[in-house]
Every structure is written in C-alpha cells, then in structure tokens.
Amino acid sequence: MSDPEELHDHDEAEHEGIHKGGLPYYGKRVMALEALLEEKGILTKDEIQQLIDQTDSVSPKNGAKVVARAWVDPEYKARLLSEPKKTLEESGYGELPEDPVIVVVENNDDVRHLVVCTLCSCYPRALLGRPPDWYKSLAYRSRAVDDPRGVMKEFGQHVPDSVEVRVLDSTADIRYLVVPQRPEGTEGWSEDELVKLVTRDSMIGASEPLKPEQVPAG
Ligand code: FE
C-alpha cells in the first residue's frame, strides 16, 4: 500500500478549508450573511434551513409534470398561462410567494422563448429547483441576448428563420417557465409517459423536449 503522505503532493494551503475545519471564501460569506439575517431579526436559523430544504426538494421533474399536464389538458393549459400562480397552487404546489411572479409562456409554430437572467441567476426555482451552472455563466447571460438562435442551436435546437425568438430576462421580481411544443408522434400518450420527454433545458427554452425515440429505456 502507498503511504498516504506520498499521494499528498500538494500544498496544504490549497485546501485548508477541508483539512483544518475552516471555510472557503464563499462559505464564509454565506455564514456572515446568515448571521446578519438572524441578528437583524429578518429570518431565524430554522426559517433559513426550511428555505434551503424547500429548494433542495424541487427538481425539474416538478416542472415536467406541469408541462405534461398542459399538453394533455387544453383547459388546464389555458389556466396555467393566464393564472399561473393560482393554477400551480391547485396543482399541489402549496402556497407560492407573491414575489417573484411566475409567468408561463408557450412555444408554438410562430414563437419560441429563451429564458435568461442577464444580471445573475434568477430562475424558476419553485418549479425546477436550482439552475445549472451554465445558466449562471457570463457566456450564457450575454450570448443568450446577443445571439439567442446561436445558443439554441448549440443546445441542439434548430429554429427556422420564420419562427420568432423572444428572449425573456428573468429578474428578482419575475420568473419564466416555458411550455415547449409537444413532440410529434406522442398522440395518445399518457401524462406519465409525456413527463419523460420534458427536459429541464426545454422548460427554459434552450433545447426542445426529447423525441419519442430519445427516451431512455427503463
Ligand atoms: Fe438573477
């Protein structure tokens, strides 16, 4: 067996946080922020933990169920688009905050949407959980505005010139969910089957939902 010390061929300072129980820079910032929120009486430790747990409990599957239902139920879709908060609450989301407002948009033959937060990382967390790292990158935040069609193409989505692309800039006050177009060849599919086609990236407009033949087996 090798001596662990031999494998340990780099400077301790590189990962002081792990070895000495300290915290990296952003960890320290988070702790300081939490302490201030408590000190100022804005949130208790329990409330902060509840908010973290709530975000961690949401995944793109939650949003996918909403989209699949909208695909099979035109009446539900109409309500989802016109009264998203109320409709989502009725779909088992519990009480959603007034702020940020959730806006649901629908892709069709004439228009597709691409969601971005040009400032930071605003994202429909209540429906999709945490955003992917690329969503927060400067490259995405700037290129989604400069060249949305180019970005969509990189995600495998070909948008014909005849189709309008609308870029939606999320903010602290407003979050967008895209209902992508239902893939062809899914007539008669159940909601549960359709859920498997709805990817995270398709609900922010970057890519299209999976095609029936792309659904992983099992
Ligand atoms: Fe943001």
Side-chain angles (χ1 to χ4, degrees):
M1 286 250 306
S2 316
D3 179 349
E5 283 303 314
E6 275 175 37
L7 300 171
H8 199 212
D9 59 357
H10 50 270
D11 193 341
E12 278 302 307
E14 282 177 35
H15 54 184
E16 194 183 357
I18 299 166
H19 277 255
K20 297 189 178 161
L23 280 168
Y25 173 71
Y26 282 106
K28 283 180 188 154
R29 278 185 66 166
V30 169
M31 295 292 277
L33 196 58
E34 282 190 21
L36 266 177
L37 287 167
E38 281 183 67
E39 195 182 305
K40 304 268 179 201
I42 298 168
L43 287 170
T44 65
K45 225 179 187 42
D46 284 350
E47 285 169 334
I48 293 169
Q49 192 56 49
Q50 266 176 27
L51 289 168
I52 294 170
D53 291 347
Q54 201 181 329
T55 303
D56 283 346
S57 71
V58 181
S59 80
K61 204 81 178 168
N62 296 69
K65 285 180 185 167
V66 171
V67 168
R69 182 161 173 206
W71 280 346
V72 299
D73 183 348
E75 192 264 338
Y76 176 81
K77 184 168 80 181
R79 282 195 293 125
L80 183 67
L81 295 171
S82 62
E83 291 184 293
K85 181 177 183 291
K86 191 163 169 245
T87 309
L88 290 167
E89 284 174 348
E90 286 166 9
S91 316
Y93 272 84
E95 202 175 320
L96 291 165
E98 292 291 340
D99 213 8
V101 170
I102 294 174
V103 171
V104 181
V105 294
E106 185 188 15
N107 283 355
N108 57 39
D109 288 342
D110 302 318
V111 180
R112 290 192 207 173
H113 301 83
L114 181 64
V115 179
V116 63
C117 170
T118 53
L119 190 64
C120 47
S121 58
C122 300
Y123 185 78
R125 286 166 197 254
L127 291 151
L128 305 183
R130 294 183 192 279
D133 286 343
W134 58 258
Y135 184 84
K136 298 180 266 185
S137 70
L138 180 59
Y140 179 73
R141 292 189 283 124
S142 50
R143 290 193 54 226
V145 178
D146 272 350
D147 179 22
R149 284 171 198 271
V151 169
M152 290 156 99
K153 194 174 170 192
E154 283 170 32
F155 277 89
Q157 176 172 196
H158 172 67
V159 186
D161 287 342
S162 59
V163 175
E164 181 191 345
V165 171
R166 290 183 193 159
V167 178
L168 303 172
D169 194 0
S170 311
T171 65
D173 301 321
I174 188 161
R175 306 294 163 89
Y176 298 96
L177 179 83
V178 176
V179 177
Q181 282 184 286
R182 179 170 169 167
E184 284 174 13
T186 59
E187 295 74 18
W189 284 35
S190 70
E191 254 179 79
D192 285 347
E193 287 170 317
L194 289 167
V195 162
K196 295 175 189 159
L197 303 176
V198 188
T199 60
R200 174 193 69 198
D201 297 350
S202 71
M203 290 182 279
I204 47 175
S207 61
E208 290 172 281
L210 299 179
K211 293 180 173 62
E213 62 272 20
Q214 292 174 312
V215 178

